[in-house]
Amino acid sequence: MGTKLPRKLEQKMQVVGEQIKLARLRRNLSVAQVAERATCSPLTVSRIEKGVPTVAIGIYLRVLYALQLDDDILWLAKEDKLGKALQDLSLKTRKRASKKR
């Protein structure tokens, strides 16, 4: 598939990167400090903050852990509205037997 993402996904990656950068700045941490805590390179942290799509999700988790935001990963796909709607549509309604008279 390569590293090129659809524009919509690229924009979302950039938003996530910006949110991680803001979390780092709120904690008054440098890129080097986060990289050391996450056991990765400062370049990798910078790439995350820029929304580069080739960074592995495991690295994202380590950076979130370094920022004490690792529980936020549990929000991914938590509210699956489409999946629930599709599931509800596929549920079969049970038909009752006619009442005996």
Side-chain angles (χ1 to χ4, degrees):
M1 184 171 148
T3 59
K4 187 69 175 158
L5 293 176
R7 179 173 298 289
K8 189 175 182 179
L9 293 179
E10 281 182 352
Q11 291 169 342
K12 289 179 182 186
M13 290 292 296
Q14 290 172 353
V15 169
V16 169
E18 184 65 26
Q19 290 170 338
I20 290 172
K21 180 178 182 177
L22 290 173
R24 175 181 63 78
L25 294 173
R26 285 187 202 106
R27 288 158 178 74
N28 201 25
L29 295 171
S30 68
V31 169
Q33 289 171 314
V34 172
E36 183 178 339
R37 293 178 184 186
T39 63
C40 65
S41 72
L43 177 62
T44 301
V45 174
S46 294
R47 290 169 55 90
I48 286 173
E49 291 182 355
K50 291 177 184 171
V52 175
T54 57
V55 179
I57 192 164
I59 305 292
Y60 271 86
L61 284 170
R62 293 196 327 231
V63 168
L64 290 172
Y65 181 77
L67 296 171
Q68 298 177 345
L69 293 171
D70 49 303
D71 285 341
D72 287 4
I73 199 76
L74 300 175
W75 286 96
L76 290 177
K78 184 172 182 175
E79 295 295 324
D80 183 11
K81 294 177 184 177
L82 175 61
K84 289 178 182 177
L86 292 171
Q87 183 181 35
D88 290 346
L89 287 173
S90 70
L91 292 176
K92 295 179 181 174
T93 55
R94 297 180 68 181
K95 294 183 180 180
R96 293 182 172 224
S98 61
K99 291 185 179 181
K100 294 181 181 177
R101 293 184 185 195

XYZ file of all heavy atoms in Angstrom:
800
model
N 0.822 -1.195 0.000
C 0.000 0.000 0.000
C 0.866 1.258 0.000
O 0.439 2.304 -0.441
C -0.929 -0.011 1.211
C -1.888 1.136 1.235
S -3.092 0.902 2.542
C -3.386 2.580 2.990
N 2.074 1.190 0.496
C 2.935 2.353 0.516
C 2.661 3.243 1.718
O 1.914 2.897 2.617
N 3.286 4.409 1.731
C 3.145 5.312 2.871
C 2.193 6.462 2.590
O 1.934 7.260 3.470
C 4.519 5.887 3.272
O 5.061 6.580 2.143
C 5.460 4.785 3.699
N 1.686 6.545 1.384
C 0.770 7.630 1.028
C -0.622 7.324 1.557
O -1.175 6.254 1.322
C 0.737 7.802 -0.494
C -0.042 9.004 -0.947
C 0.655 10.288 -0.587
C -0.108 11.466 -1.167
N 0.187 12.693 -0.480
N -1.174 8.267 2.288
C -2.518 8.112 2.845
C -3.483 9.030 2.115
O -3.076 10.057 1.573
C -2.530 8.489 4.333
C -1.767 7.604 5.301
C -1.827 8.199 6.693
C -2.333 6.209 5.309
N -4.759 8.697 2.136
C -5.746 9.647 1.618
C -5.667 10.956 2.409
O -5.328 10.954 3.597
C -7.084 8.942 1.863
C -6.741 7.501 1.969
C -5.363 7.443 2.559
N -5.985 12.052 1.736
C -5.867 13.375 2.355
C -6.579 13.462 3.710
O -6.053 14.017 4.661
C -6.409 14.452 1.420
C -6.323 15.857 2.029
C -6.681 16.956 1.068
N -5.842 17.083 -0.093
C -4.577 17.526 -0.095
N -4.000 17.837 1.025
N -3.909 17.653 -1.215
N -7.756 12.869 3.789
C -8.528 12.916 5.031
C -7.760 12.262 6.187
O -7.738 12.771 7.307
C -9.873 12.217 4.819
C -10.848 12.366 5.937
C -12.179 11.745 5.554
C -13.206 11.930 6.647
N -14.504 11.348 6.289
N -7.096 11.138 5.899
C -6.319 10.462 6.927
C -5.042 11.228 7.263
O -4.618 11.264 8.422
C -5.982 9.035 6.494
C -7.171 8.089 6.375
C -6.719 6.717 5.921
C -7.932 7.993 7.683
N -4.427 11.831 6.263
C -3.241 12.665 6.516
C -3.583 13.796 7.472
O -2.818 14.101 8.397
C -2.701 13.250 5.210
C -1.895 12.293 4.388
C -1.337 12.945 3.115
O -1.714 14.106 2.807
O -0.538 12.288 2.445
N -4.733 14.421 7.261
C -5.163 15.516 8.120
C -5.388 15.028 9.548
O -5.026 15.703 10.513
C -6.424 16.163 7.567
C -6.195 16.912 6.279
C -7.481 17.337 5.588
O -8.561 16.819 5.855
N -7.362 18.284 4.665
N -5.958 13.844 9.684
C -6.184 13.295 11.027
C -4.866 12.974 11.720
O -4.720 13.205 12.923
C -7.084 12.061 10.951
C -8.514 12.429 10.608
C -9.415 11.230 10.513
C -10.810 11.701 10.123
N -11.796 10.654 10.128
N -3.909 12.448 10.976
C -2.586 12.177 11.545
C -1.924 13.469 12.016
O -1.296 13.505 13.069
C -1.689 11.483 10.513
C -2.078 10.069 10.183
S -1.862 8.905 11.521
C -0.115 8.952 11.760
N -2.100 14.538 11.240
C -1.529 15.825 11.634
C -2.198 16.360 12.891
O -1.527 16.918 13.770
C -1.634 16.819 10.486
C -0.699 16.484 9.335
C -0.926 17.347 8.106
O -1.868 18.124 8.036
N -0.064 17.188 7.115
N -3.497 16.171 13.010
C -4.220 16.610 14.211
C -3.722 15.842 15.431
O -3.462 16.428 16.482
C -5.748 16.450 14.031
C -6.484 16.633 15.349
C -6.264 17.433 12.989
N -3.580 14.529 15.290
C -3.082 13.712 16.400
C -1.675 14.174 16.796
O -1.366 14.324 17.978
C -3.092 12.213 16.036
C -2.326 11.386 17.061
C -4.518 11.709 15.924
N -0.835 14.403 15.803
C 0.520 14.877 16.077
C 0.526 16.204 16.810
O 1.281 16.399 17.774
N -0.330 17.101 16.379
C -0.427 18.411 17.035
C -0.921 18.259 18.469
O -0.434 18.942 19.378
C -1.360 19.327 16.233
C -1.457 20.743 16.766
C -0.154 21.524 16.687
O 0.698 21.224 15.838
O 0.007 22.455 17.501
N -1.856 17.363 18.694
C -2.361 17.138 20.049
C -1.269 16.576 20.956
O -1.154 16.969 22.122
C -3.571 16.202 20.019
C -4.791 16.859 19.406
C -5.927 15.882 19.158
O -5.728 14.672 19.052
N -7.132 16.409 19.041
N -0.460 15.682 20.426
C 0.652 15.130 21.207
C 1.681 16.217 21.498
O 2.200 16.320 22.616
C 1.272 13.920 20.474
C 0.286 12.746 20.514
C 2.614 13.532 21.070
C 0.680 11.554 19.684
N 1.937 17.059 20.511
C 2.882 18.165 20.720
C 2.376 19.114 21.797
O 3.138 19.525 22.690
C 3.085 18.928 19.405
C 4.047 20.081 19.526
C 4.253 20.773 18.188
C 5.251 21.901 18.305
N 5.513 22.535 17.005
N 1.097 19.457 21.739
C 0.533 20.347 22.761
C 0.596 19.723 24.154
O 0.872 20.406 25.137
C -0.910 20.718 22.405
C -1.068 21.643 21.201
C -2.543 21.796 20.833
C -0.445 23.000 21.475
N 0.363 18.420 24.237
C 0.466 17.728 25.528
C 1.893 17.810 26.054
O 2.109 18.030 27.253
C 0.032 16.275 25.380
N 2.867 17.645 25.167
C 4.275 17.756 25.571
C 4.594 19.151 26.057
O 5.224 19.341 27.117
C 5.183 17.377 24.392
C 6.669 17.581 24.690
C 7.533 17.234 23.505
N 7.323 18.056 22.332
C 7.810 19.295 22.163
N 8.504 19.875 23.121
N 7.582 19.950 21.034
N 4.124 20.162 25.328
C 4.405 21.553 25.700
C 3.717 21.928 27.012
O 4.291 22.656 27.825
C 3.982 22.496 24.572
C 4.792 22.368 23.273
C 4.190 23.223 22.177
C 6.256 22.709 23.514
N 2.504 21.431 27.231
C 1.808 21.703 28.489
C 2.579 21.148 29.678
O 2.510 21.687 30.772
C 0.409 21.086 28.475
C -0.585 21.824 27.629
C -1.986 21.227 27.812
N -2.795 21.564 26.671
C -3.155 20.730 25.693
N -2.800 19.462 25.752
N -3.875 21.139 24.699
N 3.297 20.066 29.450
C 4.086 19.453 30.517
C 5.484 20.052 30.606
O 6.300 19.620 31.416
C 4.159 17.943 30.281
C 2.844 17.251 30.569
C 2.727 15.914 29.858
N 1.483 15.219 30.170
C 0.285 15.550 29.707
N 0.151 16.592 28.905
N -0.785 14.864 30.046
N 5.736 21.014 29.738
C 7.026 21.708 29.705
C 8.184 20.728 29.489
O 9.220 20.812 30.145
C 7.240 22.528 30.987
C 8.255 23.620 30.792
O 8.480 24.091 29.674
N 8.905 24.024 31.874
N 7.983 19.793 28.568
C 9.005 18.805 28.244
C 9.567 19.087 26.858
O 8.834 19.489 25.951
C 8.414 17.391 28.256
C 7.902 16.872 29.597
C 7.149 15.561 29.401
C 9.056 16.689 30.562
N 10.844 18.836 26.695
C 11.461 18.980 25.380
C 11.253 17.690 24.578
O 10.916 16.639 25.142
C 12.963 19.255 25.521
O 13.617 18.102 26.026
N 11.483 17.785 23.294
C 11.400 16.601 22.437
C 12.403 15.560 22.930
O 12.102 14.363 22.992
C 11.656 16.978 20.957
C 11.847 15.743 20.105
C 10.525 17.837 20.425
N 13.589 16.000 23.309
C 14.635 15.086 23.785
C 14.206 14.367 25.068
O 14.466 13.172 25.223
C 15.936 15.844 24.004
N 13.544 15.083 25.966
C 13.089 14.458 27.211
C 12.035 13.384 26.942
O 12.079 12.298 27.523
C 12.531 15.507 28.167
C 13.585 16.411 28.766
C 12.967 17.566 29.538
O 12.042 18.217 29.051
N 13.493 17.811 30.726
N 11.088 13.700 26.082
C 10.052 12.716 25.743
C 10.686 11.521 25.041
O 10.346 10.366 25.339
C 8.940 13.351 24.875
C 7.973 12.297 24.375
C 8.207 14.413 25.666
N 11.615 11.784 24.144
C 12.289 10.700 23.429
C 13.033 9.782 24.396
O 12.967 8.551 24.275
C 13.254 11.275 22.393
N 13.694 10.366 25.365
C 14.420 9.559 26.351
C 13.450 8.697 27.163
O 13.687 7.512 27.370
C 15.217 10.473 27.287
C 16.054 9.714 28.300
C 16.867 10.641 29.182
O 17.112 11.796 28.788
O 17.236 10.195 30.284
N 12.351 9.278 27.596
C 11.358 8.536 28.378
C 10.671 7.462 27.555
O 10.267 6.435 28.078
C 10.318 9.494 28.945
C 10.886 10.430 29.981
C 9.849 11.399 30.480
N 10.440 12.355 31.396
C 9.748 13.253 32.076
N 8.435 13.329 31.932
N 10.352 14.082 32.900
N 10.520 7.714 26.267
C 9.846 6.767 25.377
C 10.828 5.786 24.730
O 10.413 4.950 23.930
C 9.081 7.524 24.299
N 12.080 5.900 25.068
C 13.166 5.086 24.493
C 13.116 5.052 22.963
O 13.075 4.005 22.337
C 13.184 3.640 25.063
O 11.981 2.975 24.712
C 13.375 3.638 26.569
N 13.081 6.252 22.401
C 13.173 6.392 20.950
C 14.011 7.634 20.666
O 14.460 8.307 21.585
C 11.783 6.486 20.309
S 10.829 7.943 20.770
N 14.194 7.950 19.427
C 15.023 9.106 19.069
C 14.175 10.379 19.063
O 12.958 10.329 18.837
C 15.655 8.902 17.699
O 14.672 9.012 16.693
N 14.819 11.531 19.275
C 14.100 12.803 19.153
C 13.499 12.991 17.765
O 12.430 13.577 17.623
C 15.176 13.858 19.436
C 16.192 13.152 20.268
C 16.187 11.728 19.772
N 14.168 12.465 16.742
C 13.644 12.558 15.380
C 12.301 11.832 15.280
O 11.368 12.320 14.639
C 14.638 11.973 14.373
C 14.175 11.946 12.920
C 13.932 13.368 12.405
C 15.192 11.232 12.058
N 12.187 10.692 15.940
C 10.928 9.937 15.907
C 9.810 10.712 16.582
O 8.688 10.761 16.077
C 11.109 8.557 16.572
O 12.127 7.843 15.862
C 9.831 7.760 16.557
N 10.111 11.349 17.707
C 9.095 12.165 18.394
C 8.675 13.317 17.485
O 7.479 13.615 17.359
C 9.606 12.679 19.755
C 8.604 13.634 20.385
C 9.887 11.510 20.697
N 9.621 13.936 16.833
C 9.302 15.025 15.904
C 8.424 14.527 14.756
O 7.489 15.220 14.335
C 10.583 15.630 15.324
O 11.314 16.264 16.345
N 8.715 13.328 14.269
C 7.916 12.767 13.183
C 6.483 12.488 13.653
O 5.537 12.706 12.906
C 8.573 11.497 12.643
C 9.872 11.800 11.886
C 10.680 10.548 11.575
N 9.934 9.532 10.862
C 9.851 9.436 9.535
N 10.481 10.303 8.785
N 9.148 8.483 8.974
N 6.330 12.037 14.887
C 4.991 11.826 15.450
C 4.247 13.156 15.511
O 3.082 13.250 15.124
C 5.078 11.173 16.845
C 5.445 9.697 16.703
C 3.767 11.328 17.605
C 5.722 9.004 18.022
N 4.917 14.181 15.995
C 4.292 15.493 16.128
C 3.936 16.111 14.785
O 3.046 16.954 14.710
C 5.194 16.426 16.938
C 5.288 16.006 18.397
C 6.142 16.939 19.239
O 6.754 17.884 18.683
O 6.191 16.729 20.464
N 4.596 15.683 13.724
C 4.280 16.171 12.373
C 3.231 15.304 11.687
O 2.770 15.636 10.602
C 5.552 16.221 11.523
C 6.524 17.285 11.975
C 7.792 17.238 11.157
C 8.780 18.263 11.704
N 10.096 18.121 11.102
N 2.884 14.177 12.304
C 1.865 13.307 11.727
C 2.375 12.407 10.621
O 1.607 11.994 9.761
N 3.650 12.075 10.644
C 4.217 11.189 9.630
C 3.623 9.791 9.812
O 3.684 9.229 10.906
C 5.761 11.155 9.739
C 6.356 10.158 8.769
C 6.332 12.550 9.505
N 3.034 9.208 8.756
C 2.293 7.957 8.902
C 3.140 6.693 9.030
O 2.599 5.624 9.266
C 1.453 7.897 7.627
C 2.236 8.651 6.632
C 2.917 9.755 7.406
N 4.453 6.794 8.903
C 5.278 5.583 8.936
C 5.749 5.204 10.334
O 6.394 4.171 10.495
C 6.501 5.747 8.022
O 7.236 6.903 8.433
C 6.076 5.881 6.569
N 5.417 5.995 11.335
C 5.827 5.681 12.706
C 4.906 4.572 13.235
O 3.684 4.670 13.138
C 5.761 6.934 13.610
C 6.171 6.583 15.035
C 6.646 8.041 13.056
N 5.509 3.547 13.803
C 4.746 2.395 14.295
C 3.871 2.781 15.487
O 4.229 3.654 16.288
C 5.698 1.277 14.696
N 2.748 2.110 15.597
C 1.811 2.417 16.680
C 2.427 2.123 18.054
O 2.108 2.787 19.040
C 0.470 1.688 16.492
C -0.573 2.265 17.453
C 0.633 0.184 16.677
C -1.988 1.911 17.114
N 3.349 1.178 18.108
C 4.031 0.890 19.368
C 4.829 2.085 19.865
O 4.895 2.348 21.073
N 5.413 2.830 18.944
C 6.153 4.039 19.311
C 5.179 5.104 19.812
O 5.448 5.795 20.786
C 6.977 4.580 18.118
C 7.908 3.503 17.562
C 7.750 5.825 18.516
C 9.028 3.101 18.480
N 4.045 5.227 19.139
C 3.019 6.151 19.617
C 2.644 5.826 21.057
O 2.520 6.711 21.895
C 1.760 6.080 18.738
C 1.765 7.011 17.551
C 2.349 6.629 16.358
C 1.185 8.261 17.632
C 2.346 7.481 15.264
C 1.175 9.121 16.542
C 1.764 8.718 15.363
O 1.762 9.566 14.286
N 2.463 4.540 21.339
C 2.095 4.125 22.695
C 3.167 4.491 23.706
O 2.859 4.937 24.817
C 1.817 2.624 22.737
C 0.492 2.194 22.148
C 0.425 0.677 22.015
C -0.654 2.690 23.005
N 4.432 4.317 23.328
C 5.517 4.674 24.254
C 5.565 6.174 24.498
O 5.807 6.623 25.622
C 6.848 4.149 23.728
C 6.890 2.625 23.748
C 8.249 1.997 23.621
N 9.236 2.659 22.811
C 9.937 2.070 21.859
N 9.721 0.802 21.563
N 10.851 2.730 21.197
N 5.313 6.966 23.462
C 5.286 8.426 23.636
C 4.087 8.829 24.492
O 4.215 9.663 25.405
C 5.275 9.143 22.266
C 4.952 10.618 22.412
C 6.621 8.956 21.569
N 2.925 8.230 24.244
C 1.761 8.522 25.083
C 2.028 8.133 26.523
O 1.629 8.843 27.461
C 0.523 7.798 24.544
C -0.029 8.320 23.225
C -1.131 7.394 22.709
C -0.544 9.750 23.372
N 2.711 7.011 26.742
C 3.070 6.579 28.087
C 4.006 7.595 28.746
O 3.842 7.933 29.918
C 3.709 5.192 28.036
C 4.087 4.650 29.381
C 3.124 4.121 30.233
C 5.412 4.655 29.817
C 3.463 3.625 31.480
C 5.761 4.157 31.051
C 4.788 3.640 31.882
O 5.130 3.161 33.123
N 4.958 8.083 27.967
C 5.901 9.079 28.494
C 5.179 10.360 28.908
O 5.609 11.057 29.834
C 6.977 9.392 27.454
N 4.062 10.652 28.250
C 3.261 11.842 28.567
C 2.117 11.526 29.533
O 1.295 12.385 29.821
C 2.691 12.436 27.271
C 3.706 12.961 26.272
C 3.032 13.301 24.957
C 4.445 14.163 26.841
N 2.066 10.290 30.007
C 1.008 9.810 30.906
C -0.371 9.920 30.268
O -1.353 10.264 30.903
C 1.063 10.542 32.253
C 2.363 10.302 32.993
C 2.459 11.080 34.282
O 1.696 12.012 34.522
N 3.401 10.702 35.123
N -0.420 9.611 28.983
C -1.669 9.632 28.223
C -1.979 8.269 27.602
O -2.828 8.168 26.719
C -1.588 10.682 27.097
C -1.520 12.133 27.526
C -1.215 13.020 26.333
C -2.818 12.552 28.189
N -1.310 7.232 28.072
C -1.448 5.922 27.436
C -2.858 5.343 27.535
O -3.271 4.578 26.668
C -0.428 4.928 28.001
C -0.392 4.904 29.517
O -0.158 5.963 30.113
O -0.592 3.819 30.091
N -3.636 5.718 28.531
C -5.011 5.216 28.615
C -5.901 5.784 27.505
O -6.948 5.210 27.196
C -5.633 5.525 29.980
C -5.096 4.611 31.073
O -4.538 3.539 30.743
O -5.226 4.969 32.258
N -5.491 6.890 26.909
C -6.277 7.488 25.825
C -6.388 6.563 24.612
O -7.331 6.681 23.837
C -5.681 8.831 25.394
C -5.928 9.931 26.416
O -6.497 9.640 27.487
O -5.545 11.078 26.142
N -5.452 5.639 24.465
C -5.489 4.729 23.313
C -6.734 3.848 23.376
O -7.216 3.360 22.351
C -4.187 3.881 23.237
C -3.990 3.299 21.843
C -4.159 2.806 24.279
C -3.514 4.261 20.826
N -7.279 3.673 24.566
C -8.465 2.838 24.733
C -9.718 3.482 24.135
O -10.736 2.813 23.984
C -8.690 2.522 26.218
C -7.543 1.765 26.895
C -7.803 1.620 28.385
C -7.340 0.411 26.245
N -9.650 4.752 23.788
C -10.787 5.439 23.168
C -10.924 5.110 21.690
O -11.970 5.355 21.093
C -10.661 6.954 23.356
C -10.953 7.362 24.754
C -10.040 7.579 25.758
C -12.229 7.587 25.334
N -10.683 7.916 26.908
C -12.039 7.934 26.679
C -13.524 7.523 24.841
C -13.093 8.222 27.537
C -14.578 7.813 25.694
C -14.350 8.153 27.026
N -9.872 4.537 21.092
C -9.926 4.196 19.669
C -11.017 3.168 19.416
O -11.071 2.125 20.056
C -8.587 3.626 19.192
C -7.435 4.600 19.117
C -6.167 3.866 18.709
C -7.731 5.707 18.124
N -11.897 3.476 18.519
C -12.979 2.590 18.076
C -13.904 2.152 19.206
O -14.606 1.167 19.091
C -12.412 1.365 17.358
N -13.923 2.901 20.298
C -14.777 2.528 21.426
C -16.256 2.715 21.085
O -17.071 1.857 21.368
C -14.418 3.355 22.662
C -15.203 2.939 23.881
C -14.722 3.626 25.126
C -15.522 3.112 26.311
N -15.057 3.638 27.547
N -16.584 3.831 20.502
C -17.971 4.105 20.116
C -18.151 3.749 18.648
O -18.025 4.595 17.781
C -18.314 5.580 20.365
C -18.296 5.978 21.825
C -19.370 5.263 22.645
O -20.478 5.043 22.115
O -19.077 4.912 23.796
N -18.428 2.517 18.372
C -18.578 2.040 17.005
C -20.041 2.143 16.590
O -20.756 1.149 16.514
C -18.068 0.597 16.908
C -18.110 0.048 15.504
O -18.330 0.836 14.559
O -17.934 -1.167 15.346
N -20.485 3.361 16.323
C -21.892 3.602 15.996
C -22.316 2.869 14.722
O -23.386 2.265 14.670
C -22.158 5.098 15.870
C -22.005 5.830 17.186
C -22.192 7.317 17.022
C -21.926 8.035 18.341
N -22.021 9.479 18.200
N -21.477 2.915 13.700
C -21.809 2.246 12.445
C -21.902 0.734 12.653
O -22.852 0.092 12.212
C -20.780 2.565 11.363
C -20.950 1.823 10.039
C -22.300 2.149 9.407
C -19.816 2.143 9.097
N -20.935 0.169 13.337
C -20.940 -1.267 13.588
C -22.157 -1.714 14.385
O -22.772 -2.744 14.092
N -22.518 -0.915 15.380
C -23.694 -1.243 16.186
C -24.968 -1.151 15.357
O -25.863 -1.986 15.485
C -23.774 -0.324 17.404
C -22.706 -0.636 18.437
C -22.778 0.325 19.607
C -21.668 0.038 20.601
N -21.675 0.986 21.711
N -25.050 -0.150 14.498
C -26.231 -0.001 13.640
C -26.344 -1.177 12.672
O -27.430 -1.719 12.463
C -26.171 1.319 12.873
N -25.213 -1.575 12.090
C -25.221 -2.717 11.184
C -25.608 -4.002 11.911
O -26.347 -4.831 11.385
C -23.850 -2.876 10.518
C -23.458 -1.782 9.534
C -22.004 -1.931 9.124
C -24.371 -1.804 8.328
N -25.112 -4.139 13.115
C -25.454 -5.315 13.909
C -26.951 -5.346 14.217
O -27.601 -6.381 14.114
C -24.645 -5.326 15.203
C -24.878 -6.548 16.065
C -24.076 -6.491 17.356
O -23.883 -5.428 17.924
N -23.608 -7.640 17.801
N -27.491 -4.197 14.585
C -28.919 -4.124 14.892
C -29.771 -4.473 13.673
O -30.808 -5.112 13.794
C -29.298 -2.724 15.401
C -28.735 -2.460 16.794
O -28.297 -3.426 17.458
O -28.744 -1.285 17.212
N -29.326 -4.046 12.486
C -30.069 -4.356 11.268
C -30.067 -5.853 10.955
O -31.023 -6.376 10.391
C -29.484 -3.600 10.075
C -29.760 -2.105 10.034
C -28.983 -1.462 8.890
C -31.248 -1.842 9.889
N -28.991 -6.511 11.335
C -28.886 -7.928 10.998
C -29.533 -8.843 12.030
O -29.654 -10.042 11.795
C -27.420 -8.321 10.815
O -26.763 -8.290 12.067
N -29.940 -8.281 13.151
C -30.605 -9.108 14.155
C -31.952 -9.557 13.625
O -32.730 -8.763 13.092
C -30.795 -8.330 15.466
C -29.524 -8.003 16.233
C -29.863 -7.156 17.458
C -28.818 -9.270 16.668
N -32.211 -10.799 13.760
C -33.478 -11.335 13.279
C -34.534 -11.154 14.356
O -34.290 -11.408 15.526
C -33.332 -12.805 12.937
C -32.381 -13.041 11.787
C -32.233 -14.497 11.487
C -31.249 -14.668 10.331
N -30.952 -16.061 10.087
N -35.680 -10.698 13.940
C -36.779 -10.578 14.903
C -37.463 -11.934 14.986
O -37.751 -12.565 13.984
C -37.780 -9.493 14.478
O -38.228 -9.788 13.165
C -37.140 -8.112 14.494
N -37.665 -12.337 16.188
C -38.294 -13.636 16.392
C -39.798 -13.521 16.200
O -40.429 -12.600 16.694
C -37.982 -14.125 17.794
C -36.477 -14.352 17.993
C -36.179 -14.817 19.365
N -36.714 -16.175 19.533
C -36.632 -16.852 20.655
N -36.061 -16.326 21.716
N -37.118 -18.066 20.750
N -40.322 -14.452 15.482
C -41.758 -14.462 15.276
C -42.380 -15.405 16.294
O -41.871 -16.490 16.540
C -42.103 -14.932 13.860
C -41.637 -13.961 12.798
C -42.051 -14.427 11.435
C -41.563 -13.411 10.396
N -41.935 -13.813 9.063
N -43.455 -14.939 16.853
C -44.156 -15.770 17.841
C -45.120 -16.698 17.132
O -45.680 -16.386 16.095
C -44.939 -14.892 18.805
C -44.041 -14.055 19.684
C -44.894 -13.260 20.620
N -44.045 -12.612 21.585
C -44.309 -12.571 22.869
N -45.415 -13.106 23.338
N -43.495 -11.968 23.694
N -45.302 -17.812 17.740
C -46.301 -18.752 17.224
C -47.684 -18.152 17.481
O -47.901 -17.434 18.447
C -46.167 -20.102 17.922
N -48.590 -18.454 16.591
C -49.942 -17.936 16.787
C -50.548 -18.552 18.056
O -50.252 -19.693 18.406
C -50.810 -18.235 15.571
O -50.889 -19.633 15.394
N -51.356 -17.768 18.699
C -51.987 -18.240 19.934
C -53.025 -19.299 19.609
O -53.810 -19.164 18.677
C -52.653 -17.083 20.675
C -51.652 -16.114 21.233
C -52.361 -15.063 22.056
C -51.368 -14.099 22.628
N -51.995 -13.085 23.439
N -53.010 -20.326 20.390
C -53.999 -21.392 20.196
C -55.307 -20.986 20.827
O -55.330 -20.431 21.911
C -53.500 -22.691 20.815
C -52.286 -23.232 20.106
C -51.854 -24.521 20.727
C -50.608 -25.039 20.010
N -50.106 -26.264 20.621
N -56.387 -21.253 20.144
C -57.689 -20.873 20.678
C -58.425 -22.038 21.220
O -58.442 -23.110 20.934
C -58.514 -20.188 19.612
C -57.897 -18.887 19.257
C -58.770 -18.183 18.265
N -58.081 -16.972 17.853
C -58.660 -16.022 17.233
N -59.929 -16.107 16.938
N -58.004 -14.962 16.883
